[in-house]
Amino acid sequence: MGAPAEEPRACLVAHVREALARDRRVNELHVDVTVAGKRVFLTGEVTTEERKRAVADVVRELLPEYEVHNETSVPRLDEPGEAEELA
């Protein structure tokens, strides 16, 4: 198999998703990957800011010749409200 640039786009996306699922820093199955030319766009939610950075790091290491756009988000957890009293 040739370099990643020669792989069909679907195979490249699958390769990136597998790397994100297997890498210990990430272990993430819910990141959407889109490839457009020499750019990779990452979207979806991850649990922490650290994991968000790791997602981009893994893809940059895997595809150093691609421009990585990490648009993943970390859901904001609101402060708990007042305690509910049960009658």
Side-chain angles (χ1 to χ4, degrees), residues 15-50:
H15 188 58
V16 171
R17 291 192 64 155
E18 181 178 348
L20 293 173
R22 290 181 181 262
D23 192 285
R24 288 182 182 203
R25 296 170 289 177
V26 178
N27 293 109
E28 188 60 63
L29 297 172
H30 303 290
V31 173
D32 294 315
V33 179
T34 304
V35 177
K38 294 294 254 180
R39 294 177 292 172
V40 179
F41 296 88
L42 307 167
T43 57
E45 288 188 353
V46 294
T47 55
T48 65
E49 286 293 331
E50 180 179 85

Side-chain angles (χ1 to χ4, degrees), residues 45-65:
E45 288 188 353
V46 294
T47 55
T48 65
E49 286 293 331
E50 180 179 85
R51 188 163 283 181
K52 179 177 179 164
R53 286 187 296 276
V55 164
D57 291 344
V58 168
V59 177
R60 284 186 187 106
E61 291 166 11
L62 183 65
L63 303 171
E65 67 278 7

